Amino acid sequence: MIGQRVRVSDAVATDAMWPYLCLIELVGTDGVIMLGAEALPPDKSRSLLNELKLETFWSSADGEPFPVTELRCTAEKLGILERVGDRLMLSESGFRMLVEPEALWWYIAEWVPESAPSALVERDAAVLFMLASATDTGDAAETAAPYFDALGHYPDGRMISTGRDVMYWIPDLIRVLRCLRMAPSNTVASGERRHPATQLFARAVLERWTPGDSDAFPSAVEGGKA
């Protein structure tokens, strides 16, 4: 499956990218004036929580709720949003996604390998995590951990025993996938199972990866699952 070209329908891409698409629509063509330096106005936050169906879970949160903060900050890191004075605006890429929602799927798929750290350990962790995400496993970090061991990466001189160690090396990637409901720790989804398009999206990421990086780990996919 990893070697097959990824084809995604508009409906699947739109559903998978829904949290970011909600934020893009909220910011809109006019932008949003930030409350202070680091928060959306309360009415905008409540509107976004309502769209993401998280208003009950986060209703008692003080200030800007964590899911909104994480979604907003990662969108800025992705280059979808940008600051212009005290206003949060859509970037040029963000404007394109406002009228072409499915473009966000491929935009983030390309961002993952482009943003993967050049340091060997972090890049290995990112590749292995995405390879594991493309399999049928329910926890990609746990699946990737033994192979991370096999490469000789032992944080603090010890063997990795959980997926938390793998996730430690790729915090930016995990934050984006968490917002998409595709990470082991699913804050935005409020405990729901990972999104059904996770495997397909992971394959899309690997399809965009620098030739040679993902090919270096054929044994990371066991038993022909991927």
Side-chain angles (χ1 to χ4, degrees), residues 29 45 50 75 92 114 119 126 164 167 179 181 190-191 213 217 219 226:
T29 56
S45 288
N50 183 59
E92 184 177 338
E114 288 175 358
R164 187 178 298 273
M167 293 170 65
C179 287
R181 303 151 294 171
S190 189
D213 272 12
F217 305 105
S219 62

Side-chain angles (χ1 to χ4, degrees), residues 68-85:
V68 173
T69 300
E70 185 154 75
L71 196 62
R72 175 177 58 77
C73 290
T74 53
E76 289 186 64
K77 196 170 191 69
L78 286 165
I80 298 169
L81 304 180
E82 60 187 11
R83 301 291 186 93
V84 179

